[in-house]
Amino acid sequence: MTVASSLHLVEDQTGSPVDVEQVLIDRTLRIAFQPVCDLKSRRIIGYEALARFPGWAVTTPRAWFEQAMQLGLQQALELLAATTALEQLPRLKDDAFLSVNLSPATAASKAFGDLASTVPAERLVLEITENATVDNYRRFTGAIDHLRSLGVRIALDDAGASDVGLQHLLEIRPDIVKIDTTVIHGIADDELRQAVAIAYASLSRRAGAMSLAEGIETEAELAMLSSLEVEAGQGYLLGRPALLPD
């Protein structure tokens, strides 16, 4: 991983410093793990890895990744986050998966393929956000087919949050479909949100994929999602993101 010698210090919208290159040099990025649970039993079946940066309480992770993209360092920062997360895999439950979020370009890179080969692939889930741009589906699906041959599962993140998600679903054929929080929040009392969740749960079953609800915050939401046959979920009700103890 090569980092330019000159440092670019910028500020995010909160006014907090965002120094991407220094994080890459010092490897000061940390990972919080949020539980993913089976909705019927509430048993933990996996964790999502979430990047945390210096001053992360006031500086959003998105600001760091957006600045990395502007500097041409997006792949380097994403690989650092994935590496840091996967180093912690032995400390998680033996039967739990770990999901990492990557852009399509990083997911399709040789560097990530090499990284994925260093861990038990059946425990690794690669999340591709619904609104990420895929320039060439044939090339991209070829790359992730290699990952799948190792045992890596593919998740479509933020389903329902953009208008390109259906194409991703059809072209990528994910193993897990993560229904976005915009659908989940208020679902207990909203028939339209319920209909959207039913549609994604049905599509997931037809595709042989797991349906997973994001952002579950209330017992009413969890009960409704279970009744709609959504299989898994995550959110503050089920467990907040947390750093592992040193």
Side-chain angles (χ1 to χ4, degrees):
M1 184 181 298
T2 301
V3 178
S5 58
S6 61
L7 298 180
H8 299 266
L9 186 65
V10 300
E11 293 185 346
D12 77 342
Q13 60 186 358
T14 69
S16 302
V18 176
D19 193 345
V20 173
E21 291 183 346
Q22 197 64 55
V23 164
L24 289 170
I25 292 169
D26 297 337
R27 298 177 66 88
T28 49
L29 177 152
R30 300 186 70 188
I31 298 295
F33 297 89
Q34 183 169 32
V36 176
C37 298
D38 174 86
L39 291 191
K40 297 294 185 184
S41 66
R42 298 202 186 188
R43 179 179 66 87
I44 294 175
I45 59 174
Y47 297 88
E48 180 178 3
L50 300 169
R52 296 292 183 253
F53 297 88
W56 66 269
V58 294
T59 307
T60 64
R62 176 175 293 182
W64 288 84
F65 286 105
E66 288 178 349
Q67 182 61 20
M69 181 171 60
Q70 294 174 23
L71 296 173
L73 295 172
Q74 181 178 12
Q75 185 170 123
L77 189 61
E78 289 183 344
L79 288 171
L80 175 60
T83 300
T84 305
L86 292 175
E87 288 172 348
Q88 302 299 314
L89 186 58
R91 301 182 63 191
L92 303 177
K93 288 179 53 179
D94 289 345
D95 60 345
F97 66 76
L98 177 60
S99 65
V100 296
N101 295 268
L102 296 177
S103 65
T106 303
S109 69
K110 181 180 183 299
F112 180 70
D114 292 343
L115 176 61
S117 68
T118 66
V119 300
E122 69 277 2
R123 296 189 64 191
L124 177 58
V125 172
L126 167 61
E127 292 195 25
I128 303 297
T129 186
E130 182 188 67
N131 56 20
T133 301
V134 175
D135 295 326
N136 186 311
Y137 277 108
R138 184 183 296 275
R139 183 166 60 243
F140 178 68
T141 54
I144 63 174
D145 281 347
H146 168 67
L147 294 172
R148 280 177 159 151
S149 72
L150 300 175
V152 177
R153 283 174 287 176
I154 310 300
L156 175 62
D157 196 15
D158 305 321
S162 78
D163 58 2
V164 299
L166 185 57
Q167 186 176 10
H168 278 7
L169 184 65
L170 294 172
E171 298 285 352
I172 298 173
R173 303 296 173 101
D175 305 287
I176 301 172
V177 177
K178 300 188 69 175
I179 308 171
D180 189 66
T181 56
T182 56
V183 178
I184 304 308
H185 288 173
I187 195 170
D189 303 309
D190 189 322
E191 291 186 357
L192 186 55
R193 282 183 166 82
Q194 292 165 23
V196 173
I198 289 171
Y200 274 112
S202 176
L203 282 169
S204 299
R205 284 193 298 274
R206 293 292 296 270
M210 174 194 294
S211 55
L212 192 162
E214 299 182 272
I216 303 172
E217 295 185 353
T218 69
E219 291 287 351
E221 289 171 351
L222 188 146
M224 176 57 68
L225 290 162
S226 294
S227 73
L228 300 179
E229 299 186 356
V230 175
E231 298 172 75
Q234 63 188 95
Y236 285 177
L237 178 69
L238 298 169
R240 291 174 177 265
L243 301 173
L244 296 181
D246 294 329

